[in-house]
Amino acid sequence: MAMLVIGCDHAGVELKNNIISRRDEIHAGGMSVSVMDMGCFDDKSVDYPDIVDKVIDSYKLNKQNHEYVLGILICGTGLGMSMSANKHKGIRAALVTNPDLAEFSRRHNDANILCLGARGNVHLDVIFAWVKIFANTEFEGG
């Protein structure tokens, strides 16, 4: 079973909930996915670094107990989440804005946290396709 550790600020609640609702579609092999939703849960303003800390801590803990853990952070642009996440030791957070970045952030850079922007006027299905690409791409090594 795979684990999805996901969190957002107030701008990303709708996108976060959409990804969670489609969690069992993420993996190409139809792997079942458990979810740890680290918030936030409504459109009231929050300090996004607090959400980042919760997601990163849970991601690291779950990496010890699960074969596959996908970490996702969402804010308005994805920039704040990615900058804050990359301050954590061992984290390589990638802001993904197209399918190529979703693939190559994993394949070439071994990114382990996917960051997404919710205010880019991109359809939820398109963003979910990036999630699937990120989740199903292996690091080439080297």
Side-chain angles (χ1 to χ4, degrees):
M1 178 179 292
M3 173 66 68
L4 169 62
V5 180
I6 191 168
C8 67
D9 72 358
H10 50 283
V13 174
E14 179 184 7
L15 177 55
K16 179 192 70 161
N17 290 340
N18 180 271
I19 292 169
I20 290 171
S21 73
R22 300 175 69 180
R23 66 184 172 269
D24 289 334
E25 300 172 39
I26 291 173
H27 293 284
M31 186 184 320
S32 180
V33 178
S34 293
V35 175
M36 292 192 72
D37 184 347
M38 308 311 293
C40 79
F41 303 100
D42 56 41
D43 62 358
K44 293 179 184 159
S45 184
V46 297
D47 290 330
Y48 68 85
D50 295 339
I51 301 295
V52 171
D53 292 345
K54 290 178 185 179
V55 169
I56 299 303
D57 289 347
S58 293
Y59 173 85
K60 288 181 175 181
L61 181 65
N62 280 286
K63 281 298 281 185
Q64 299 170 13
N65 302 319
H66 292 85
E67 183 176 339
Y68 191 85
V69 180
L70 173 61
I72 299 178
L73 290 164
I74 305 164
C75 66
T77 63
L79 289 168
M81 291 292 197
S82 63
M83 289 187 285
S84 185
N86 279 315
K87 293 179 181 181
H88 290 262
K89 184 178 181 177
I91 296 301
R92 292 171 308 282
L95 173 58
V96 168
T97 58
N98 65 54
D100 288 338
L101 291 178
E103 178 183 352
F104 292 113
S105 65
R106 287 285 306 128
R107 186 176 310 284
H108 293 172
N109 305 113
D110 197 21
N112 53 14
I113 300 291
L114 173 62
C115 297
L116 300 166
R119 290 185 176 147
N121 294 320
V122 179
H123 194 276
L124 296 174
D125 289 340
V126 172
I127 296 174
F128 189 75
W130 304 342
V131 171
K132 289 175 67 170
I133 292 167
F134 187 91
N136 290 286
T137 301
E138 297 291 326
F139 178 51
E140 287 180 339

Coordinates of all heavy atoms in Angstrom, one line a residue, residues 3-47:
M3 N 1.4 5.5 0.5 CA 0.9 6.5 1.4 C 1.0 7.9 0.7 O 2.1 8.2 0.1 CB 1.8 6.5 2.7 CG 1.5 7.7 3.6 SD -0.1 7.6 4.4 CE 0.0 6.2 5.4
L4 N 0.0 8.7 0.8 CA 0.0 10.1 0.3 C 0.0 11.0 1.5 O -0.9 10.9 2.3 CB -1.2 10.3 -0.6 CG -1.5 11.8 -1.0 CD1 -0.4 12.4 -1.8 CD2 -2.8 11.9 -1.7
V5 N 1.0 11.8 1.7 CA 1.1 12.8 2.7 C 0.9 14.1 2.0 O 1.7 14.5 1.1 CB 2.4 12.8 3.5 CG1 2.4 13.9 4.6 CG2 2.6 11.4 4.1
I6 N -0.2 14.8 2.3 CA -0.5 16.0 1.5 C -1.0 17.2 2.5 O -1.5 16.9 3.5 CB -1.7 15.7 0.5 CG1 -1.9 16.8 -0.5 CG2 -2.9 15.3 1.3 CD1 -2.8 16.4 -1.6
G7 N -0.6 18.4 2.1 CA -1.0 19.6 2.8 C -1.1 20.8 1.9 O -0.5 20.8 0.8
C8 N -1.8 21.8 2.4 CA -2.0 23.0 1.6 C -2.2 24.2 2.5 O -2.5 24.0 3.7 CB -3.2 22.8 0.6 SG -4.8 22.7 1.5
D9 N -2.1 25.4 1.9 CA -2.6 26.5 2.6 C -4.0 26.8 2.1 O -4.6 26.0 1.4 CB -1.7 27.7 2.4 CG -1.7 28.3 1.0 OD1 -2.5 27.8 0.1 OD2 -1.0 29.3 0.7
H10 N -4.6 27.9 2.5 CA -6.0 28.2 2.3 C -6.3 28.3 0.8 O -7.4 28.1 0.4 CB -6.4 29.5 3.0 CG -5.4 30.7 2.7 ND1 -4.2 30.7 3.3 CD2 -5.5 31.7 1.9 CE1 -3.5 31.8 2.9 NE2 -4.3 32.4 2.0
A11 N -5.3 28.6 -0.1 CA -5.5 28.7 -1.5 C -5.6 27.3 -2.2 O -6.2 27.2 -3.3 CB -4.4 29.5 -2.2
G12 N -5.2 26.3 -1.5 CA -5.1 25.0 -2.2 C -6.1 23.9 -1.7 O -6.0 22.8 -2.1
V13 N -7.1 24.3 -0.9 CA -8.0 23.3 -0.4 C -8.7 22.6 -1.5 O -8.8 21.3 -1.4 CB -9.0 24.0 0.6 CG1 -10.0 23.0 1.1 CG2 -8.2 24.6 1.8
E14 N -9.3 23.2 -2.4 CA -10.0 22.6 -3.5 C -9.1 21.6 -4.3 O -9.6 20.4 -4.5 CB -10.6 23.6 -4.5 CG -11.4 22.9 -5.6 CD -11.9 23.9 -6.6 OE1 -11.6 25.1 -6.6 OE2 -12.7 23.4 -7.5
L15 N -7.9 22.0 -4.6 CA -7.0 21.1 -5.3 C -6.6 19.9 -4.5 O -6.6 18.8 -4.9 CB -5.8 21.8 -5.8 CG -4.7 21.0 -6.5 CD1 -5.3 20.3 -7.7 CD2 -3.6 21.9 -7.0
K16 N -6.3 20.2 -3.2 CA -6.0 19.1 -2.3 C -7.1 18.1 -2.2 O -6.9 16.9 -2.3 CB -5.6 19.6 -0.9 CG -5.3 18.6 0.1 CD -5.2 19.1 1.5 CE -6.6 19.4 2.0 NZ -6.9 19.5 3.4
N17 N -8.3 18.5 -2.0 CA -9.4 17.6 -1.9 C -9.7 16.8 -3.1 O -10.1 15.7 -3.1 CB -10.7 18.4 -1.4 CG -10.6 18.9 0.0 OD1 -9.8 18.4 0.8 ND2 -11.4 19.9 0.3
N18 N -9.5 17.5 -4.3 CA -9.6 16.8 -5.6 C -8.6 15.6 -5.7 O -8.9 14.5 -6.1 CB -9.5 17.7 -6.7 CG -9.6 17.1 -8.1 OD1 -8.7 16.6 -8.6 ND2 -10.9 17.0 -8.5
I19 N -7.4 15.9 -5.3 CA -6.3 14.8 -5.4 C -6.6 13.7 -4.4 O -6.5 12.5 -4.8 CB -4.9 15.5 -5.1 CG1 -4.5 16.4 -6.2 CG2 -3.9 14.4 -4.9 CD1 -3.3 17.3 -5.9
I20 N -7.0 14.1 -3.2 CA -7.4 13.0 -2.2 C -8.5 12.2 -2.7 O -8.5 10.9 -2.6 CB -7.7 13.7 -0.9 CG1 -6.5 14.2 -0.2 CG2 -8.4 12.7 0.1 CD1 -6.7 15.1 1.0
S21 N -9.5 12.8 -3.3 CA -10.7 12.0 -3.8 C -10.3 11.0 -4.9 O -11.1 10.1 -5.2 CB -11.8 13.0 -4.3 OG -11.5 13.6 -5.5
R22 N -9.2 11.3 -5.6 CA -8.8 10.4 -6.7 C -7.5 9.6 -6.4 O -6.9 9.1 -7.3 CB -8.5 11.3 -7.9 CG -9.8 12.1 -8.3 CD -9.5 13.1 -9.4 NE -9.2 12.3 -10.7 CZ -8.9 12.9 -11.8 NH1 -8.9 14.2 -11.9 NH2 -8.7 12.2 -12.9
R23 N -7.2 9.5 -5.1 CA -6.0 8.9 -4.7 C -5.7 7.5 -5.2 O -4.6 7.2 -5.5 CB -5.9 8.8 -3.1 CG -7.0 7.9 -2.5 CD -6.9 8.0 -1.0 NE -8.0 7.3 -0.4 CZ -9.2 7.8 -0.1 NH1 -9.4 9.1 -0.4 NH2 -10.1 7.1 0.5
D24 N -6.7 6.7 -5.4 CA -6.5 5.3 -5.9 C -6.3 5.3 -7.4 O -6.0 4.2 -8.0 CB -7.7 4.4 -5.5 CG -7.6 4.1 -4.0 OD1 -6.5 4.2 -3.4 OD2 -8.7 3.8 -3.5
E25 N -6.4 6.4 -8.1 CA -6.0 6.5 -9.5 C -4.6 7.0 -9.7 O -4.1 7.0 -10.9 CB -6.9 7.6 -10.2 CG -8.4 7.3 -10.1 CD -9.2 8.5 -10.7 OE1 -8.8 9.1 -11.7 OE2 -10.3 8.8 -10.1
I26 N -3.9 7.3 -8.7 CA -2.5 7.9 -8.8 C -1.5 6.9 -9.4 O -0.8 7.3 -10.4 CB -2.0 8.4 -7.5 CG1 -2.8 9.6 -7.0 CG2 -0.5 8.7 -7.5 CD1 -2.5 10.1 -5.6
H27 N -1.5 5.7 -9.0 CA -0.5 4.7 -9.4 C -0.9 3.9 -10.6 O -2.1 3.4 -10.6 CB -0.1 3.8 -8.2 CG 0.6 4.6 -7.2 ND1 1.9 5.0 -7.3 CD2 0.2 5.1 -6.0 CE1 2.3 5.7 -6.2 NE2 1.2 5.7 -5.4
A28 N 0.0 3.8 -11.5 CA -0.4 3.1 -12.8 C -0.9 1.6 -12.5 O -1.7 1.2 -13.3 CB 0.9 3.0 -13.7
G29 N -0.3 1.0 -11.5 CA -0.7 -0.4 -11.2 C -2.0 -0.5 -10.4 O -2.3 -1.6 -10.0
G30 N -2.6 0.6 -10.1 CA -3.8 0.5 -9.3 C -3.6 0.3 -7.8 O -4.5 -0.2 -7.1
M31 N -2.4 0.7 -7.3 CA -2.1 0.5 -5.9 C -3.0 1.3 -5.0 O -3.3 2.5 -5.3 CB -0.6 1.0 -5.7 CG -0.1 0.7 -4.3 SD 1.6 1.3 -4.1 CE 2.4 1.0 -5.6
S32 N -3.5 0.7 -4.0 CA -4.3 1.4 -3.0 C -3.5 2.5 -2.3 O -2.3 2.2 -2.0 CB -4.9 0.4 -2.0 OG -5.7 1.1 -1.1
V33 N -4.1 3.6 -2.0 CA -3.3 4.7 -1.4 C -4.0 5.2 -0.1 O -5.2 5.5 -0.1 CB -3.2 5.9 -2.3 CG1 -2.4 7.1 -1.7 CG2 -2.5 5.5 -3.6
S34 N -3.3 5.1 1.0 CA -3.8 5.7 2.3 C -3.4 7.2 2.3 O -2.4 7.6 1.7 CB -3.1 5.1 3.5 OG -3.6 3.7 3.6
V35 N -4.1 8.0 3.0 CA -3.9 9.5 3.0 C -3.7 10.0 4.4 O -4.4 9.6 5.3 CB -5.1 10.2 2.3 CG1 -4.9 11.7 2.4 CG2 -5.3 9.8 0.9
M36 N -2.7 10.8 4.5 CA -2.5 11.7 5.7 C -2.7 13.1 5.3 O -1.8 13.7 4.6 CB -1.1 11.5 6.3 CG -0.9 10.1 6.9 SD 0.6 10.0 7.9 CE 0.0 10.9 9.3
D37 N -3.8 13.7 5.6 CA -4.2 15.0 5.2 C -3.7 15.9 6.4 O -4.3 15.9 7.5 CB -5.7 15.1 5.0 CG -6.1 16.5 4.5 OD1 -5.3 17.5 4.6 OD2 -7.3 16.6 4.1
M38 N -2.7 16.8 6.1 CA -2.1 17.6 7.2 C -2.7 19.0 7.2 O -2.2 19.9 7.8 CB -0.6 17.7 7.0 CG 0.1 16.3 6.8 SD -0.4 15.1 8.1 CE 0.4 15.9 9.6
G39 N -3.8 19.2 6.5 CA -4.5 20.5 6.5 C -4.0 21.4 5.3 O -3.2 20.9 4.5
C40 N -4.4 22.6 5.3 CA -5.5 23.1 6.0 C -6.9 22.6 5.4 O -6.9 22.0 4.4 CB -5.4 24.6 6.1 SG -5.9 25.6 4.7
F41 N -7.9 23.0 6.1 CA -9.2 22.4 5.8 C -10.3 23.3 5.3 O -11.4 22.9 5.0 CB -9.7 21.5 7.0 CG -8.7 20.5 7.4 CD1 -7.9 20.7 8.5 CD2 -8.6 19.3 6.6 CE1 -6.9 19.7 8.8 CE2 -7.6 18.4 7.0 CZ -6.8 18.6 8.1
D42 N -10.0 24.6 5.3 CA -10.9 25.6 4.8 C -10.2 26.8 4.2 O -8.9 26.8 4.1 CB -11.9 26.1 5.9 CG -11.2 26.6 7.1 OD1 -10.2 27.3 7.0 OD2 -11.6 26.2 8.2
D43 N -10.9 27.9 3.8 CA -10.2 29.0 3.2 C -9.8 30.1 4.1 O -9.4 31.2 3.7 CB -11.1 29.6 2.1 CG -12.4 30.1 2.6 OD1 -12.7 30.0 3.8 OD2 -13.2 30.6 1.8
K44 N -9.7 29.8 5.4 CA -9.2 30.7 6.4 C -7.6 30.8 6.3 O -7.0 29.7 6.2 CB -9.6 30.4 7.8 CG -11.1 30.5 8.0 CD -11.5 30.2 9.4 CE -13.0 30.2 9.5 NZ -13.5 29.5 10.6
S45 N -7.1 32.0 6.2 CA -5.6 32.1 6.1 C -4.8 31.4 7.1 O -5.2 31.4 8.3 CB -5.3 33.6 6.1 OG -3.9 33.8 5.8
V46 N -3.8 30.7 6.7 CA -2.9 30.0 7.6 C -1.4 30.3 7.2 O -1.2 30.8 6.1 CB -3.0 28.4 7.4 CG1 -4.4 28.0 7.9 CG2 -2.8 27.9 6.0
D47 N -0.5 30.0 8.1 CA 0.9 30.2 7.8 C 1.4 28.9 7.1 O 1.5 27.9 7.8 CB 1.7 30.4 9.1 CG 1.4 31.8 9.7 OD1 1.1 32.7 8.9 OD2 1.5 31.9 10.9

